[in-house]
Amino acid sequence: MDLNPSFEQRQLVEAFSTLYRGESTTERVRAAEATGFDPGLWEALAGAGGVEMALPLRAGGSGASLLDLALVAEVHGRHLGSAPLVEAQVSARLLERLGGAAPVVADVAAGRQILTVALAPPGSGTARGVPAAMVADAVLVLDDRCVALVGLADARTPVHNLAALPLADVRLDADPLATFGGEEARRSFATALDEWMALTASALVGLGRRALELAVDYATTRQAFGAPIGSFQAVAHRLADAATALDGATLLSREAAWASEGDPARASDLAAMAFAFAAEAAQVAGEWSLHVHGGYGFMLEYDVQLYFRRAKGWAAVYSDPGRVYAGLGARALARRA
Amino acid sequence: MDLNPSFEQRQLVEAFSTLYRGESTTERVRAAEATGFDPGLWEALAGAGGVEMALPLRAGGSGASLLDLALVAEVHGRHLGSAPLVEAQVSARLLERLGGAAPVVADVAAGRQILTVALAPPGSGTARGVPAAMVADAVLVLDDRCVALVGLADARTPVHNLAALPLADVRLDADPLATFGGEEARRSFATALDEWMALTASALVGLGRRALELAVDYATTRQAFGAPIGSFQAVAHRLADAATALDGATLLSREAAWASEGDPARASDLAAMAFAFAAEAAQVAGEWSLHVHGGYGFMLEYDVQLYFRRAKGWAAVYSDPGRVYAGLGARALARRA
Amino acid sequence: MEFGLGGGHDALVDDVRRFLGEHLTPELLARVRRGGTYHDWDFHRALVAKGWMAPGWPVELGGQGRPPLEVLAIAEELQRAGAPMLGLGTTMLVASVLRHLGTAAQKEAVVRPALAGEILIALGFSEPESGSDVAAAQTRAVRDGDEWVVNGQKMFTTNAHEADYAFLLARTDPTLPKHRGLTTFLVPLRQEGVEIRPITTLSGERTNITFYADARVPDALRIGEVNGGWEVMTVGLTYERTSAAGGDSIRLLEAMEDWAVGGTPHGRSADHDERVHEAFGRAATENEVSVLLSRRSAWLDSIGELPGVEGSMAKLFSSEAITRQSAQFIDLLGPEGIRTEEDRGAPARGEVEWAYRFAQGTTIYGGTSEIQRTIIAQRGLGLPRG
Amino acid sequence: MEFGLGGGHDALVDDVRRFLGEHLTPELLARVRRGGTYHDWDFHRALVAKGWMAPGWPVELGGQGRPPLEVLAIAEELQRAGAPMLGLGTTMLVASVLRHLGTAAQKEAVVRPALAGEILIALGFSEPESGSDVAAAQTRAVRDGDEWVVNGQKMFTTNAHEADYAFLLARTDPTLPKHRGLTTFLVPLRQEGVEIRPITTLSGERTNITFYADARVPDALRIGEVNGGWEVMTVGLTYERTSAAGGDSIRLLEAMEDWAVGGTPHGRSADHDERVHEAFGRAATENEVSVLLSRRSAWLDSIGELPGVEGSMAKLFSSEAITRQSAQFIDLLGPEGIRTEEDRGAPARGEVEWAYRFAQGTTIYGGTSEIQRTIIAQRGLGLPRG
């Protein structure tokens, strides 16, 4: 066990932190709320190899581990990135694993095309609430028969949502751009979902930690009844609980990402655990930070509401934590039975 | 609306408070833990008309309302009465409503015989965890066909339990003492369950309020870091939440009892609501009061553990609150559909 | 002991519902939600015409002389329907203060037109540097002959842009101890020295910052004694704290139940799902408790007792309940739960998503949950002060 | 970054499990539970023989020189199995303090036999009037030549009836400020001036009140400077706070899973019940977090950093988790859940009912949850002191 990031990982985090500090200020996040997408941030991410890094060397990528991507996702979450980095990385890896056409993979790696992935099976010919679908070019969907790559241009309807995410309902009536059948394609798709959960857990951790920092800063300076409000137990003890949960979520989400190579047998369970636990920790941090800000927290002008809304919304795109826990519990019992 | 008890109700509460203060001290409660039954308390209760009062005038009772009984049940809970008053009252009313033999009803009313009621339908010829079954003479059971009055003498096995209640598993292989068939018997049995829930809610409220008082007393006198611990928000705000929940549970359990005559259409829902909410409020009060006592709370010698154990156990005899809430939700949806 | 509200209560509720059917049109609700101003002059005047601006006030003062429980019944129905009542609420809070502490001239000049639906009054307590600790107000008022000159800022002056006056807490003697140098005024808002800048909130409600730069207020519009403002505030804050969120919770559960029985085209199936059923049963129970806690306050009021701790309990419990419930309902709806009301596919018409944002404010305004818990602990349980 | 513990870890865990299979017999577990003394000399000496009394200590001091993560691995397995370790825990805490602050003679006279499994040491911090506020201790120690005379009482001196010494915090100068007039001693317990009175606890554990009436302790058994006891305690309390409840939680979930797959003759069916599945998945996740938080502390220790805040987080999280989980598991079991282990029909062998009682203590001893939250808020987050 070594919980310190490697030298390369520290460099990676520092490089992306610099990028996000410049290209994802809260002013930029606000400016992008109408579409949920900041083209300037996306260009910068693509230019920095944000998608390419996720691909293996054989596909012209830089072969980053899922743990490397998780550390970047923490930075993404911390800065509320208005760009589908996680979706693009996960679907690029999936397409490559499925054996997608090399030119398409190359376009995706370079950020010239954006892919995304439908997290839930489609019903009645529609994939609902697909993340990033308003800004992506195509989506990977798993239906009863196969994994299909479906073009998005004329197939999407925007979904107005709490978190200002570029979600869309996607009609699947046009012919797919490509299909991938067989058991292995299904397994690859399941792996992609695990990767999405692990990376989203990391993004939620970054988001939650920043929300907590906002609360701590505010509670340290704001005075009431002759003392900083952070000196009152009613405030301080809540924040201590949030900090503890976020530390736990940090460890768990990093462990989940590490496990994809380090402990494959547990990777899927750990991804689900990390997703559900980080979702709850981020939600609590968002709600308590908002609350600690008093009336200011309720003003759109203050930043904390940006975190509050995304803490709930980024996770809800896939599932509430309760259902994920239920799935974990059922799997554990099935293994024992 | 008038939330003040009537003059008669105040007299009733005062009379039973005096009785319990004498006959159900915590020393007596401790002394009765091995059996869960204090014969002296039972004699006193029977002598004071504790069961008789629950019967209508036509059956030689004093025709107390369910609300009158609820106020007495609050006193019972407050003093952790080691006697099956609620079970005896509910089953006496049920037997009378079923048209049970007058001499039996008279014996029951006078406390010469103790009846109880099986809260769950029996399975495999056994009614499990029947309250008061170790000290009662007979139990009323609802099975697929009818309501049966079953003698207990040779049919019971004691159930060791958290709350030191005189529970037993009851074998139903002997011939019943009496049976009561038909739809009306079923409905009467359902009413008895509602009454048991409403009265148990009141008992839990009394128990919870006393647990809270113990915590407030302790937190007011116990010093740490140069101040009474009740002046710290970490303690005070928890107790404020418990007090609020208990005030809510008090109003709700009294409303539920009142509704049996005052608003029969809602009586069954309100009884379930009161039971589940009072169970949670009492559990929280028990746990937090125990916690506020620090290491002392963990000593058997201190009284607060008596409340802590019964808060959970008295409710669990029937059900956890979650299942009761689920039943309420399902009923509400069925009505709307 | 009696929990029934009597046949008159049912008739009154029916009457309120008929009124709402006529006046609270879907167009009005949509306009209010879109604009964020939870005051509408047409609806307000319709309420006044019905006598429901101040139903509990004596007839001779412009009310209907209704007992507190009838007043509550009207308020419960209006809140449950989501009627725009913020302007009425603040105006009546101030009218109640003036009824007790105002001069005859103030009653004539302010209370009468307020009850006639002619003017609106906003609250100016909070400041950029003071919220829960309201007595720390720094806005200055300095005497100048028959007038006072006001300088400072007030936060969250909701409806200032519709209102005629702000009920303003100002420091009139900075040399006195914190609670002793304060005075309250009714500051006319339509004057040059007042600037009103809108604030948009998380739930879309519009509120305002108001800036006072040499704003003038005649001494005749001072309430209470000079430097006696804290006594006035004590009365005012007691009225403010009675605001409970039980009605909003009931409306939220109804929206969820509509969703559950409506076929749930895209959400999770609510049939046979114990998690949904449990959440619904729990919410219904909590809502019953909220209603009972509020009714207890009204009943205490009706027998001449001041519901201090009891009002705090009603406010604390109902606001924390809607905060829990709205978060849990979003979870039950799954990915569909975060669709906003602008989305045509939103379950429960987007009410749940909106409620999750709205609920966060209920634990803040009218006294935070922390303030209520301290009141309950110290005044209710008698725990020692920290 | 690396979360793997290496192949040596798996082999070590296997070794511990083999050891437990041999020495932690069902009879021993039953005897410990029945008697309430969570110390057993045979088991203790078997651990010593295996080198697992102080596996992290240097070989020359009687340890095995294992890195902190291996030490934790051994402790995790022992806790998860429910091995009686309270006597070992307090003894090693004191040995650790003495290793840093003891004299050469104390190391020879106390640490050596302690590590050899020959003597046991209990803790004497809490008093009737001081618990969390441990520096408020009133027990007096007065110098008398080469000895000190001790008078006072100590609460919760667990295993005093088995132990040779109590690690005692006493006031040696009442004229100095609270934290400055304290001194720590190793008081021999087998002497006339010491009375040990048993305390039975909610979970059946036996602890003790110890009374000191002119009890004598040689100055050679003073630890640290005279009036320097608080510095000693600071070291001691840091070791105490590392106690986490993750292993107990894991054992509890395993018992519930056994119940769920075992046919559930009388309880509710666990098949297809989303509420049960959700609780199991949540508990498994919380247990993973508890393990990770504890491992982080051990890892920090291994790289030479003091896990202060991190230890508090591990302790806080794991103890609150088992408290929530045990209450919820009782609920899931329904009416069957309150049957105790004496009941032959108890589900999960009564482990759940017992855990509900046991868990309440975990949020108290070794520093209450409130103390941990204050440490995390002030030292971890840098929030201002109250």
Side-chain angles (χ1 to χ4, degrees):
Chain A
M1 172 170 264
D2 179 4
L3 299 178
N4 281 332
S6 68
F7 176 72
E8 291 75 16
Q9 285 170 333
R10 287 203 304 277
Q11 281 189 313
L12 184 69
V13 166
E14 189 41 47
F16 276 90
S17 293
T18 304
L19 187 159
Y20 276 94
R21 271 196 300 269
E23 302 288 337
S24 189
T25 60
T26 51
E27 292 73 31
R28 290 274 291 275
V29 171
R30 287 171 184 279
E33 285 225 306
T35 59
F37 183 61
D38 185 325
L41 172 62
W42 179 253
E43 264 181 50
L45 285 170
V51 185
E52 194 178 55
M53 67 182 283
L55 287 168
L57 300 172
R58 66 171 179 265
S62 54
S65 69
L66 197 65
L67 181 54
D68 296 334
L69 302 185
L71 297 174
V72 173
E74 287 181 20
V75 178
H76 178 83
R78 174 177 190 84
H79 295 275
L80 305 180
S82 306
L85 182 64
V86 168
E87 286 75 17
Q89 288 173 339
V90 165
S91 48
R93 287 159 75 94
L94 174 56
L95 185 66
E96 194 278 332
R97 234 179 273 127
L98 290 167
V104 180
V105 172
D107 270 8
V108 165
R112 287 187 297 270
Q113 268 199 56
I114 304 179
L115 296 194
T116 187
V117 59
L119 303 171
S124 321
T126 302
R128 286 180 65 85
V130 178
M134 283 310 294
V135 300
D137 299 284
V139 58
L140 286 154
V141 183
L142 175 69
D143 70 13
D144 292 341
R145 292 158 296 123
C146 62
V147 179
L149 180 66
V150 179
L152 282 164
D154 302 314
R156 60 194 165 200
T157 312
V159 172
H160 301 277
N161 64 90
L162 170 64
L165 281 168
L167 308 180
D169 293 335
V170 178
R171 288 182 312 284
L172 301 172
D173 36 18
D175 284 341
L177 305 172
T179 59
F180 308 92
E183 188 49 37
E184 195 160 327
R186 285 180 177 284
R187 267 205 303 276
S188 292
F189 196 90
T191 300
L193 280 189
D194 289 342
E195 291 185 350
W196 184 89
M197 277 195 272
L199 295 182
T200 299
S202 293
L204 286 162
V205 161
L207 181 164
R209 299 191 82 92
R210 180 66 192 139
L212 178 64
E213 283 174 13
L214 291 178
V216 169
D217 289 349
Y218 188 82
T220 304
T221 51
R222 176 75 175 183
Q223 303 277 321
F225 306 105
I229 62 172
S231 67
F232 295 110
Q233 287 182 336
V235 171
H237 284 194
R238 277 190 160 196
L239 297 181
D241 277 335
T244 303
L246 285 168
D247 270 24
T250 305
L251 290 164
L252 187 53
S253 57
R254 290 178 178 184
E255 185 189 38
W258 164 84
S260 81
E261 294 174 16
D263 192 357
R266 294 191 72 212
S268 186
D269 271 5
L270 285 171
M273 286 181 172
F275 172 79
F277 193 80
E280 292 186 320
Q283 182 188 320
V284 164
E287 289 183 3
W288 289 0
S289 184
L290 193 87
H291 186 75
V292 162
H293 279 76
Y296 288 110
F298 213 57
M299 288 170 62
L300 288 189
E301 196 180 322
Y302 271 64
D303 285 342
V304 64
Q305 56 90 8
L306 299 171
Y307 297 82
F308 163 82
R309 290 190 290 120
R310 284 164 180 77
K312 191 84 179 168
W314 282 9
V317 166
Y318 173 63
S319 174
D320 61 296
R323 301 262 167 180
V324 175
Y325 286 133
L328 275 164
R331 272 197 265 176
L333 284 189
R335 275 197 298 265
R336 270 181 98 96
Chain B
M1 174 170 261
D2 179 4
L3 299 178
N4 281 332
S6 67
F7 177 71
E8 291 76 15
Q9 285 170 333
R10 287 201 305 277
Q11 282 189 311
L12 184 70
V13 167
E14 190 40 48
F16 276 90
S17 293
T18 305
L19 187 158
Y20 275 95
R21 271 196 298 271
E23 301 289 338
S24 188
T25 60
T26 51
E27 291 73 31
R28 289 277 289 274
V29 171
R30 286 171 184 280
E33 285 226 306
T35 60
F37 184 62
D38 185 326
L41 172 62
W42 179 253
E43 264 181 50
L45 285 170
V51 184
E52 194 177 56
M53 67 182 283
L55 288 168
L57 301 173
R58 67 172 178 264
S62 54
S65 68
L66 197 65
L67 180 54
D68 297 333
L69 302 186
L71 296 175
V72 174
E74 287 181 19
V75 178
H76 178 82
R78 176 178 189 81
H79 295 275
L80 305 180
S82 307
L85 182 64
V86 167
E87 286 75 17
Q89 288 172 337
V90 165
S91 49
R93 287 159 75 95
L94 173 56
L95 185 67
E96 193 278 332
R97 234 180 273 125
L98 291 167
V104 181
V105 173
D107 269 8
V108 165
R112 286 188 297 271
Q113 267 199 55
I114 304 180
L115 295 194
T116 187
V117 59
L119 303 170
S124 320
T126 301
R128 286 180 65 84
V130 178
M134 283 310 294
V135 300
D137 299 286
V139 58
L140 286 153
V141 183
L142 174 70
D143 69 13
D144 293 341
R145 293 157 295 124
C146 61
V147 178
L149 181 67
V150 179
L152 282 164
D154 302 315
R156 60 195 165 199
T157 313
V159 173
H160 302 277
N161 64 90
L162 171 64
L165 281 168
L167 309 180
D169 295 334
V170 178
R171 286 181 314 282
L172 301 172
D173 37 18
D175 284 341
L177 305 172
T179 59
F180 309 91
E183 189 50 37
E184 194 159 327
R186 281 177 180 288
R187 268 204 303 276
S188 292
F189 196 88
T191 300
L193 280 189
D194 290 342
E195 291 185 351
W196 184 89
M197 276 195 272
L199 296 182
T200 300
S202 293
L204 286 163
V205 161
L207 181 164
R209 298 190 82 91
R210 180 66 192 138
L212 177 64
E213 284 174 13
L214 291 177
V216 169
D217 289 349
Y218 188 81
T220 304
T221 51
R222 175 76 175 183
Q223 304 276 321
F225 306 105
I229 62 171
S231 68
F232 294 109
Q233 287 182 335
V235 171
H237 284 195
R238 279 190 159 195
L239 297 181
D241 278 334
T244 302
L246 285 168
D247 269 25
T250 304
L251 289 164
L252 187 54
S253 58
R254 290 178 178 184
E255 185 188 38
W258 163 85
S260 81
E261 293 173 18
D263 190 359
R266 294 192 71 212
S268 186
D269 271 5
L270 285 171
M273 285 180 173
F275 172 80
F277 193 81
E280 292 186 320
Q283 182 188 318
V284 164
E287 289 182 3
W288 289 1
S289 184
L290 192 86
H291 186 75
V292 163
H293 279 75
Y296 288 110
F298 213 59
M299 287 169 63
L300 288 189
E301 196 180 322
Y302 270 64
D303 285 342
V304 64
Q305 55 90 5
L306 299 171
Y307 296 82
F308 163 82
R309 290 190 291 121
R310 285 163 180 78
K312 191 82 180 169
W314 282 9
V317 166
Y318 173 63
S319 175
D320 61 298
R323 301 264 165 178
V324 175
Y325 286 133
L328 276 162
R331 272 198 265 177
L333 283 189
R335 275 196 300 264
R336 270 182 97 98
Chain C
M1 205 179 291
E2 169 65 46
F3 283 83
L5 301 170
H9 178 268
D10 292 346
L12 179 60
V13 166
D14 287 345
D15 198 14
V16 179
R17 289 183 182 170
R18 267 194 307 276
F19 172 88
L20 288 168
E22 189 181 340
H23 294 279
L24 191 68
T25 59
E27 296 73 37
L28 171 59
L29 278 170
R31 188 168 69 237
V32 162
R33 188 67 69 84
R34 222 171 23 246
T37 296
Y38 282 69
H39 168 75
D40 178 88
W41 280 109
D42 289 341
F43 184 79
H44 188 75
R45 293 203 183 96
L47 270 174
V48 168
K50 194 75 186 162
W52 289 344
M53 174 93 190
W57 282 41
V59 176
E60 59 274 22
L61 297 180
Q64 296 184 321
R66 290 184 186 270
L69 280 159
E70 291 187 14
V71 177
L72 180 68
I74 296 169
E76 276 179 5
E77 288 305 314
L78 291 169
Q79 190 190 29
R80 182 171 169 160
M85 305 284 293
L86 287 184
L88 187 148
T90 55
T91 302
M92 281 310 301
L93 186 156
V94 180
S96 300
V97 170
L98 286 174
R99 183 181 157 196
H100 292 289
L101 304 173
T103 64
Q106 287 168 350
K107 288 177 190 166
E108 179 56 27
V110 179
V111 176
R112 197 202 45 71
L115 263 69
E118 294 163 7
I119 63 167
L120 217 62
I121 310 175
L123 303 183
F125 302 161
S126 295
E127 297 189 3
E129 297 298 324
S130 60
S132 290
D133 186 9
V134 64
Q138 292 302 321
T139 291
R140 289 294 312 277
V142 177
R143 188 146 197 163
D144 178 23
D146 275 354
E147 291 191 326
W148 294 78
V149 182
V150 179
N151 280 284
Q153 299 173 33
K154 290 290 177 181
M155 293 300 294
F156 311 118
T157 326
T158 302
N159 278 319
H161 59 299
E162 296 281 355
D164 300 271
Y165 298 99
F167 176 42
L168 190 114
L169 179 69
R171 190 155 302 278
T172 39
D173 189 343
T175 68
L176 291 175
K178 181 171 164 187
H179 290 78
R180 302 255 58 86
L182 298 164
T183 308
T184 49
F185 300 93
L186 278 179
V187 178
L189 286 169
R190 301 194 188 143
Q191 60 167 306
E192 212 180 323
V194 175
E195 185 197 339
I196 297 166
R197 195 180 298 168
I199 295 174
T200 327
T201 67
L202 186 55
S203 58
E205 283 175 39
R206 173 186 166 154
T207 179
N208 305 283
I209 313 188
T210 45
F211 297 88
Y212 304 84
D214 290 336
R216 303 192 80 90
V217 51
D219 189 55
L221 289 178
R222 169 172 51 78
I223 306 178
E225 300 297 315
V226 173
N227 296 331
W230 190 246
E231 285 69 31
V232 180
M233 284 300 295
T234 307
V235 177
L237 289 177
T238 306
Y239 285 106
E240 193 185 17
R241 283 204 195 98
T242 56
S243 62
D248 295 305
S249 252
I250 291 171
R251 190 169 75 253
L252 175 63
L253 178 57
E254 284 170 351
M256 279 296 285
E257 288 179 346
D258 285 347
W259 162 79
V261 299
T264 65
H266 305 299
R268 267 87 181 241
S269 164
D271 294 341
H272 317 297
D273 185 329
E274 274 213 322
R275 291 171 76 242
V276 172
H277 292 169
E278 180 178 353
F280 281 24
R282 190 182 293 273
T285 303
E286 289 178 349
N287 293 348
E288 184 75 19
V289 170
S290 290
V291 165
L292 286 168
L293 288 170
S294 284
R295 286 186 182 166
R296 177 175 65 167
S297 292
W299 169 75
L300 282 169
D301 192 8
S302 76
I303 61 169
E305 293 180 25
L306 196 70
V309 169
E310 293 83 359
S312 288
M313 285 183 170
K315 203 273 180 182
L316 172 67
F317 186 85
S318 62
S319 57
E320 294 290 331
I322 194 171
T323 305
R324 276 193 305 275
Q325 290 168 13
S326 58
Q328 190 178 14
F329 287 164
I330 287 194
D331 284 349
L332 291 179
L333 294 170
E336 301 288 314
I338 56 169
R339 292 179 184 235
T340 62
E341 60 184 336
E342 295 98 63
D343 196 272
R344 293 155 59 95
R349 306 176 300 280
E351 282 288 331
V352 180
E353 189 278 338
W354 176 80
Y356 181 58
R357 288 180 282 125
F358 168 80
Q360 312 303 319
T362 66
T363 65
I364 296 288
Y365 60 67
T368 62
S369 291
E370 289 68 33
I371 294 283
Q372 311 299 350
R373 290 191 184 101
T374 295
I375 290 170
I376 295 163
Q378 293 177 1
R379 293 192 219 157
L381 297 176
L383 286 168
R385 286 168 186 276
Chain D
M1 205 178 291
E2 168 65 47
F3 283 84
L5 301 170
H9 179 269
D10 293 345
L12 179 59
V13 166
D14 287 346
D15 198 15
V16 179
R17 289 183 182 168
R18 267 193 308 274
F19 173 87
L20 288 168
E22 187 181 343
H23 294 280
L24 192 67
T25 59
E27 297 72 39
L28 171 59
L29 279 170
R31 187 169 71 238
V32 163
R33 188 68 68 85
R34 222 173 22 248
T37 296
Y38 281 69
H39 168 75
D40 179 87
W41 279 110
D42 289 340
F43 184 78
H44 187 75
R45 292 201 184 99
L47 272 174
V48 168
K50 194 76 185 161
W52 291 343
M53 174 96 190
W57 281 42
V59 176
E60 59 273 24
L61 297 179
Q64 296 183 320
R66 290 183 185 271
L69 281 158
E70 290 188 16
V71 177
L72 180 67
I74 297 169
E76 277 179 3
E77 288 306 313
L78 292 169
Q79 191 190 29
R80 182 171 171 161
M85 306 284 293
L86 287 185
L88 186 149
T90 54
T91 301
M92 280 312 300
L93 186 156
V94 180
S96 300
V97 169
L98 285 174
R99 182 180 156 196
H100 292 290
L101 304 173
T103 63
Q106 286 168 349
K107 288 177 191 168
E108 179 57 27
V110 180
V111 176
R112 198 202 46 72
L115 264 69
E118 293 162 10
I119 63 167
L120 217 61
I121 310 174
L123 303 183
F125 303 161
S126 296
E127 296 189 4
E129 297 299 325
S130 60
S132 291
D133 186 9
V134 64
Q138 293 301 320
T139 291
R140 288 295 312 276
V142 176
R143 187 145 198 165
D144 179 22
D146 276 354
E147 289 191 325
W148 294 77
V149 181
V150 179
N151 280 284
Q153 299 174 31
K154 290 290 176 180
M155 293 299 294
F156 311 118
T157 325
T158 302
N159 278 318
H161 61 297
E162 297 281 355
D164 301 271
Y165 298 98
F167 177 42
L168 190 115
L169 179 69
R171 191 155 301 278
T172 38
D173 190 343
T175 67
L176 291 175
K178 181 172 164 186
H179 289 78
R180 301 256 58 88
L182 298 164
T183 308
T184 48
F185 300 92
L186 278 180
V187 178
L189 285 168
R190 300 190 189 147
Q191 60 168 306
E192 212 179 325
V194 175
E195 185 196 339
I196 297 165
R197 195 180 298 167
I199 295 174
T200 327
T201 67
L202 185 54
S203 58
E205 284 175 38
R206 173 188 167 153
T207 179
N208 305 282
I209 313 188
T210 45
F211 298 88
Y212 304 84
D214 291 336
R216 305 194 78 90
V217 51
D219 188 56
L221 289 178
R222 168 171 53 77
I223 305 177
E225 300 297 313
V226 174
N227 295 332
W230 190 246
E231 285 68 33
V232 180
M233 283 301 294
T234 306
V235 177
L237 290 176
T238 305
Y239 285 107
E240 192 185 18
R241 282 203 197 98
T242 57
S243 61
D248 295 303
S249 253
I250 291 171
R251 190 171 74 253
L252 175 61
L253 178 57
E254 284 171 349
M256 278 297 284
E257 288 179 346
D258 286 346
W259 162 79
V261 299
T264 65
H266 305 299
R268 268 89 180 239
S269 164
D271 293 341
H272 316 297
D273 185 330
E274 273 212 325
R275 291 170 77 243
V276 172
H277 292 168
E278 181 179 352
F280 281 25
R282 190 182 294 273
T285 304
E286 289 177 348
N287 293 348
E288 184 75 19
V289 170
S290 290
V291 165
L292 286 169
L293 288 170
S294 283
R295 285 185 183 168
R296 177 175 64 167
S297 292
W299 169 74
L300 282 170
D301 193 6
S302 77
I303 61 169
E305 293 180 25
L306 197 69
V309 169
E310 293 82 0
S312 288
M313 285 183 169
K315 203 271 183 185
L316 171 66
F317 186 86
S318 62
S319 57
E320 293 290 330
I322 195 171
T323 305
R324 278 193 303 276
Q325 290 169 12
S326 60
Q328 190 178 14
F329 287 163
I330 287 192
D331 284 350
L332 291 179
L333 294 170
E336 300 288 314
I338 56 170
R339 293 179 185 235
T340 62
E341 60 183 336
E342 296 97 64
D343 197 90
R344 292 156 60 96
R349 307 175 300 279
E351 283 288 330
V352 181
E353 189 278 339
W354 176 80
Y356 181 59
R357 289 180 282 123
F358 168 79
Q360 313 302 319
T362 66
T363 64
I364 296 287
Y365 61 66
T368 63
S369 290
E370 289 68 32
I371 294 283
Q372 311 300 350
R373 290 190 184 100
T374 295
I375 290 171
I376 296 163
Q378 294 178 358
R379 292 191 220 159
L381 297 176
L383 286 168
R385 286 169 187 277

